[in-house]
Amino acid sequence: GTNTWEDAGNLVGTNIIKGALTWVSGDWNGAPTVTIPVNSKVIVAGGAGNNDLDNCILTNNGTVEWASGTMRGGTTTIYNYGLWDAQSDQILNDTLSGGPFLFDNFGTFRKTGTSGGSSQLQNGVYFDNLGTLDMQAGVVSLQGTYSLTNGTLSFGLGSLTNYGRLGLVSSAVLGGPLSVNLVGNFSPAIGDQFQVVSSTGRSGTFSSVSVPAGISVTYSNNGVFLDVTGLIPVQIINTKLVGTNLLFQFPTISGQSYTIQWNDDLATNNWAYYTNITGDGSVFQFQTPVMATPPQNFFRVREP
């Protein structure tokens, strides 16, 4: 089903969750296997309570939405081949029967939801990133043992205070790819800096780097910084026709000059001046009538 709830009772035996299950309470202790197939979903919604999975092997091929609730295990293994979406600031720990608590991420572990809080994998939880550890907002705090050298680290930048971060209790050993994306309408300015990895030490570098133009990666003894050293290319968004008008928007940087140009033939480089503005940090909306002649127009935005 698509609206099944577990509010009490315990899973036992071999379990395959098809469809969608909202896990509010009741435990999975002692369930030898729990499998979430592709296109299926478990919503962890324990609120201020606990969602326990001691002596359990959980294999996720679909989606886990970790909305609320402290997840407690002990002799527990989680194989994540799908999406594990940490939407809240909650805790994963091994306080039940002790270790080992293994979290093997072959898919995507994503941190979303809040900008200032953290999803904590506490001491006793071993996190092995073989896929993508994706921090779009807030902090993923790895307080136990971890391995980051074989997977991708991905970070979203939404504002100077709202961006993804990775907090480590010991040294960061880097070796996999780095990916960075801008979130929403954010356009950072030259001189902005973001510490995306915080650690007590750092060794190694990323095997490859994919960051927006204008951003450079700086390694330090206590982590990794993203420095905005050049202009970030304009992001044209929300392009649409409204009546007889063409509309599009682009985020601006305060004090930055922008020039809008037009051309009716992309086979040429005859870009002509249309208008210019000075940004104020907000999203600027451009609007122009759609005319029958010429039959097509193209627009671009330059800095300045």
Side-chain angles (χ1 to χ4, degrees):
T2 59
N3 188 28
T4 305
W5 290 61
E6 181 184 359
D7 291 328
N10 308 320
L11 293 188
V12 297
T14 299
N15 299 269
I16 300 176
I17 299 172
K18 298 180 180 179
L21 171 69
T22 299
W23 181 17
V24 178
S25 60
D27 68 58
W28 297 3
N29 296 336
T33 63
V34 179
T35 302
I36 306 168
V38 174
N39 298 324
S40 294
K41 179 191 299 185
V42 167
I43 302 169
V44 182
N50 299 313
N51 296 84
D52 293 343
L53 60 167
D54 193 17
N55 292 295
C56 175
I57 298 176
L58 168 62
T59 301
N60 174 41
N61 297 302
T63 299
V64 172
E65 293 183 0
W66 189 10
S68 63
T70 295
M71 300 190 72
R72 304 189 304 179
T75 307
T76 302
T77 300
I78 295 176
Y79 298 112
N80 180 50
Y81 293 95
L83 172 63
W84 188 288
D85 188 3
Q87 300 176 345
S88 59
D89 302 326
Q90 300 294 336
I91 293 171
L92 187 69
N93 63 39
D94 71 336
T95 58
L96 296 180
S97 66
F101 191 138
L102 307 178
F103 194 118
D104 290 337
N105 180 45
F106 298 93
T108 298
F109 184 104
R110 177 174 297 153
K111 171 62 177 168
T112 59
T114 60
S115 59
S118 66
S119 294
Q120 301 177 21
L121 278 65
Q122 293 188 338
N123 186 30
V125 178
Y126 175 73
F127 184 82
D128 188 7
N129 183 41
L130 300 164
T132 299
L133 178 54
D134 181 19
M135 291 137 289
Q136 290 296 302
V139 183
V140 171
S141 178
L142 300 182
Q143 301 174 5
T145 307
Y146 44 82
S147 175
L148 306 174
T149 56
N150 296 314
T152 298
L153 295 184
S154 180
F155 299 92
L157 305 180
S159 73
L160 286 174
T161 57
N162 183 13
Y163 61 94
R165 283 158 284 174
L166 175 62
L168 304 173
V169 296
S170 58
S171 181
V173 181
L174 305 177
L178 169 69
S179 177
V180 177
N181 63 282
L182 298 176
V183 178
N185 300 325
F186 181 50
S187 185
I190 294 175
D192 288 349
Q193 185 181 74
F194 309 86
Q195 184 172 9
V196 291
V197 179
S198 301
S199 58
T200 59
R202 193 272 313 164
S203 63
T205 59
F206 294 109
S207 60
S208 63
V209 172
S210 176
V211 299
I215 293 180
S216 62
V217 180
T218 302
Y219 300 97
S220 74
N221 290 331
N222 64 340
V224 179
F225 294 80
L226 301 177
D227 294 300
V228 183
T229 57
L231 290 174
I232 304 297
V234 176
Q235 301 179 76
I236 294 178
I237 57 176
N238 299 330
T239 303
K240 58 186 175 181
L241 285 172
V242 178
T244 59
N245 292 312
L246 168 69
L247 277 70
F248 65 79
Q249 298 175 319
F250 57 91
T252 66
I253 299 171
S254 182
Q256 174 64 45
S257 177
Y258 299 88
T259 300
I260 299 173
Q261 298 176 323
W262 71 278
N263 191 345
D264 61 7
D265 184 359
L266 288 183
T268 73
N269 197 33
N270 298 328
W271 289 95
Y273 170 86
Y274 191 95
T275 188
N276 74 307
I277 66 162
T278 300
D280 60 3
S282 65
V283 176
F284 176 78
Q285 178 168 289
F286 172 79
Q287 177 174 315
T288 186
V290 176
M291 310 297 289
T293 305
Q296 56 189 13
N297 271 337
F298 304 92
F299 295 88
R300 70 181 185 184
V301 183
R302 306 196 70 179
E303 304 165 297

Coordinates of all heavy atoms in Angstrom, one line a residue, residues 45-85:
A45 N 9.3 8.4 11.3 CA 8.6 9.5 11.9 C 8.4 9.2 13.4 O 7.2 9.3 13.9 CB 7.3 9.8 11.2
G46 N 9.4 9.0 14.1 CA 9.3 8.6 15.5 C 9.1 9.8 16.4 O 8.9 9.7 17.7
G47 N 9.1 11.1 15.9 CA 8.9 12.2 16.7 C 10.0 12.3 17.8 O 11.2 12.2 17.4
A48 N 9.6 12.5 19.0 CA 10.6 12.6 20.1 C 11.0 11.2 20.7 O 11.7 11.1 21.6 CB 10.0 13.5 21.2
G49 N 10.4 10.1 20.0 CA 10.7 8.8 20.5 C 11.9 8.1 19.8 O 12.7 8.8 19.1
N50 N 11.9 6.8 19.9 CA 13.0 6.0 19.3 C 12.5 5.1 18.3 O 11.4 4.5 18.4 CB 13.8 5.2 20.4 CG 14.4 6.1 21.5 OD1 15.0 7.1 21.2 ND2 14.1 5.8 22.7
N51 N 13.3 4.9 17.2 CA 13.1 3.9 16.2 C 14.2 2.9 16.3 O 15.3 3.2 15.9 CB 13.0 4.5 14.8 CG 11.8 5.4 14.7 OD1 11.9 6.6 15.0 ND2 10.7 4.9 14.2
D52 N 13.9 1.7 16.9 CA 15.0 0.8 17.2 C 15.1 -0.4 16.2 O 14.1 -0.9 15.7 CB 14.7 0.1 18.6 CG 14.8 1.2 19.7 OD1 15.4 2.2 19.5 OD2 14.3 0.9 20.8
L53 N 16.4 -0.7 15.8 CA 16.6 -1.8 14.9 C 17.9 -2.5 15.3 O 18.8 -2.7 14.5 CB 16.7 -1.3 13.4 CG 17.7 -0.2 13.0 CD1 17.8 -0.1 11.5 CD2 17.5 1.1 13.5
D54 N 17.9 -3.0 16.5 CA 19.0 -3.8 17.0 C 18.9 -5.2 16.4 O 17.8 -5.8 16.1 CB 18.9 -3.9 18.5 CG 20.2 -4.4 19.2 OD1 21.2 -4.4 18.5 OD2 20.2 -4.8 20.3
N55 N 20.1 -5.8 16.2 CA 20.2 -7.2 15.6 C 19.4 -7.3 14.3 O 18.6 -8.2 14.1 CB 19.7 -8.2 16.6 CG 20.7 -8.4 17.8 OD1 21.8 -8.8 17.6 ND2 20.2 -8.0 18.9
C56 N 19.5 -6.3 13.5 CA 18.7 -6.2 12.2 C 19.7 -5.8 11.1 O 20.6 -5.1 11.2 CB 17.7 -5.1 12.4 SG 16.7 -4.8 10.9
I57 N 19.4 -6.4 9.9 CA 20.0 -6.0 8.7 C 19.0 -5.3 7.8 O 18.0 -5.9 7.4 CB 20.6 -7.2 7.9 CG1 21.7 -7.9 8.8 CG2 21.2 -6.8 6.6 CD1 22.3 -9.2 8.2
L58 N 19.2 -4.0 7.5 CA 18.3 -3.2 6.7 C 19.0 -3.0 5.4 O 20.1 -2.4 5.3 CB 17.9 -1.9 7.4 CG 17.2 -0.9 6.6 CD1 15.9 -1.4 6.1 CD2 17.0 0.4 7.4
T59 N 18.3 -3.3 4.3 CA 18.8 -3.0 2.9 C 17.8 -2.1 2.2 O 16.7 -2.5 2.0 CB 19.0 -4.3 2.1 OG1 19.9 -5.2 2.8 CG2 19.5 -4.0 0.7
N60 N 18.3 -0.9 1.9 CA 17.4 0.1 1.2 C 17.8 0.2 -0.2 O 18.9 0.7 -0.6 CB 17.5 1.4 1.9 CG 16.8 2.5 1.2 OD1 15.7 2.2 0.7 ND2 17.4 3.7 1.0
N61 N 16.9 -0.2 -1.1 CA 17.1 0.0 -2.5 C 16.2 1.1 -3.0 O 16.2 1.4 -4.2 CB 16.8 -1.3 -3.3 CG 17.7 -2.4 -3.0 OD1 18.9 -2.3 -3.1 ND2 17.2 -3.5 -2.5
G62 N 15.3 1.6 -2.2 CA 14.4 2.6 -2.5 C 14.7 4.0 -1.9 O 15.7 4.6 -2.1
T63 N 13.8 4.4 -0.9 CA 14.0 5.7 -0.3 C 13.7 5.5 1.2 O 12.6 4.9 1.6 CB 13.0 6.8 -0.9 OG1 13.4 6.9 -2.2 CG2 13.2 8.1 -0.1
V64 N 14.5 6.1 2.0 CA 14.2 6.3 3.5 C 14.2 7.8 3.7 O 15.2 8.5 3.5 CB 15.3 5.6 4.4 CG1 15.1 6.0 5.8 CG2 15.3 4.1 4.2
E65 N 13.0 8.2 4.2 CA 12.9 9.6 4.6 C 13.0 9.7 6.1 O 12.0 9.3 6.8 CB 11.6 10.2 4.1 CG 11.5 10.4 2.6 CD 10.2 11.0 2.1 OE1 9.4 11.4 3.0 OE2 10.0 11.2 0.9
W66 N 14.1 10.1 6.6 CA 14.3 10.2 8.1 C 13.8 11.5 8.5 O 14.5 12.5 8.6 CB 15.8 10.0 8.4 CG 16.2 9.9 9.8 CD1 15.4 9.7 10.9 CD2 17.5 9.9 10.3 NE1 16.1 9.6 12.0 CE2 17.4 9.7 11.7 CE3 18.8 10.1 9.8 CZ2 18.5 9.7 12.6 CZ3 19.9 10.1 10.6 CH2 19.8 9.9 12.0
A67 N 12.5 11.6 8.8 CA 11.8 12.8 9.2 C 12.0 13.2 10.6 O 12.1 14.4 11.0 CB 10.3 12.7 8.8
S68 N 12.0 12.2 11.5 CA 12.1 12.5 13.0 C 12.3 11.1 13.7 O 12.1 10.1 13.1 CB 10.9 13.2 13.5 OG 9.7 12.4 13.4
G69 N 12.8 11.2 14.9 CA 13.0 10.0 15.7 C 14.5 9.7 15.8 O 15.2 9.7 14.8
T70 N 14.9 9.3 17.0 CA 16.3 8.8 17.2 C 16.3 7.3 16.8 O 15.5 6.5 17.2 CB 16.7 8.9 18.7 OG1 16.8 10.3 19.0 CG2 18.1 8.3 18.9
M71 N 17.3 7.0 15.9 CA 17.4 5.6 15.4 C 18.5 4.9 16.2 O 19.6 5.4 16.3 CB 17.7 5.6 13.9 CG 16.6 6.2 13.1 SD 16.8 5.9 11.3 CE 16.3 4.2 11.2
R72 N 18.1 3.8 16.9 CA 19.0 3.2 17.8 C 19.2 1.7 17.3 O 18.3 1.0 16.9 CB 18.5 3.1 19.2 CG 18.2 4.5 19.8 CD 17.8 4.5 21.3 NE 16.7 3.5 21.6 CZ 16.3 3.3 22.8 NH1 16.9 3.9 23.8 NH2 15.3 2.5 23.0
G73 N 20.5 1.3 17.4 CA 20.8 0.0 17.0 C 21.9 -0.6 17.9 O 22.1 -0.2 19.0
G74 N 22.6 -1.5 17.4 CA 23.7 -2.2 18.1 C 24.4 -3.1 17.2 O 25.2 -2.7 16.4
T75 N 24.0 -4.4 17.2 CA 24.5 -5.3 16.2 C 23.6 -5.1 15.0 O 22.7 -5.9 14.7 CB 24.5 -6.7 16.7 OG1 25.1 -6.8 18.0 CG2 25.1 -7.7 15.8
T76 N 23.9 -4.1 14.2 CA 23.0 -3.6 13.1 C 23.9 -3.3 11.9 O 25.0 -2.8 12.0 CB 22.3 -2.3 13.5 OG1 21.6 -2.6 14.7 CG2 21.4 -1.9 12.4
T77 N 23.3 -3.7 10.7 CA 24.0 -3.3 9.5 C 22.9 -2.7 8.6 O 21.8 -3.2 8.4 CB 24.6 -4.5 8.7 OG1 25.5 -5.2 9.6 CG2 25.2 -4.1 7.4
I78 N 23.3 -1.5 8.0 CA 22.4 -0.8 7.0 C 23.2 -0.8 5.7 O 24.3 -0.3 5.6 CB 22.1 0.6 7.5 CG1 21.2 0.5 8.8 CG2 21.3 1.3 6.4 CD1 20.9 1.9 9.3
Y79 N 22.6 -1.4 4.7 CA 23.1 -1.2 3.3 C 22.2 -0.3 2.6 O 21.0 -0.6 2.3 CB 23.1 -2.6 2.6 CG 24.0 -3.7 3.3 CD1 23.4 -4.8 3.9 CD2 25.4 -3.5 3.2 CE1 24.2 -5.7 4.5 CE2 26.2 -4.5 3.8 CZ 25.6 -5.6 4.4 OH 26.4 -6.6 5.0
N80 N 22.7 0.9 2.2 CA 21.9 1.9 1.5 C 22.4 1.9 0.1 O 23.4 2.5 -0.3 CB 22.1 3.3 2.2 CG 21.3 4.3 1.4 OD1 20.1 4.1 1.2 ND2 21.9 5.4 1.0
Y81 N 21.5 1.4 -0.8 CA 21.8 1.4 -2.3 C 20.9 2.5 -2.9 O 21.1 2.8 -4.1 CB 21.5 0.1 -2.9 CG 22.5 -1.0 -2.5 CD1 22.1 -1.9 -1.4 CD2 23.7 -1.2 -3.1 CE1 23.0 -2.9 -1.0 CE2 24.6 -2.2 -2.7 CZ 24.2 -3.0 -1.7 OH 25.1 -4.0 -1.3
G82 N 19.9 3.0 -2.2 CA 19.0 4.0 -2.8 C 19.3 5.4 -2.2 O 20.4 5.8 -2.2
L83 N 18.2 6.1 -1.7 CA 18.4 7.4 -1.2 C 18.0 7.3 0.3 O 16.9 6.9 0.7 CB 17.4 8.4 -1.9 CG 17.3 9.8 -1.2 CD1 18.6 10.5 -1.2 CD2 16.2 10.6 -1.9
W84 N 18.9 7.8 1.2 CA 18.6 8.0 2.6 C 18.6 9.5 2.8 O 19.6 10.1 2.8 CB 19.7 7.3 3.4 CG 19.4 7.3 4.9 CD1 19.4 8.3 5.8 CD2 19.0 6.1 5.7 NE1 19.1 7.9 7.0 CE2 18.8 6.5 7.0 CE3 18.9 4.8 5.4 CZ2 18.5 5.7 8.0 CZ3 18.5 3.9 6.4 CH2 18.3 4.3 7.7
D85 N 17.4 10.0 3.0 CA 17.2 11.5 3.1 C 17.0 11.9 4.6 O 16.0 11.7 5.1 CB 16.0 11.8 2.3 CG 15.8 13.4 2.1 OD1 16.7 14.1 2.6 OD2 14.8 13.8 1.5

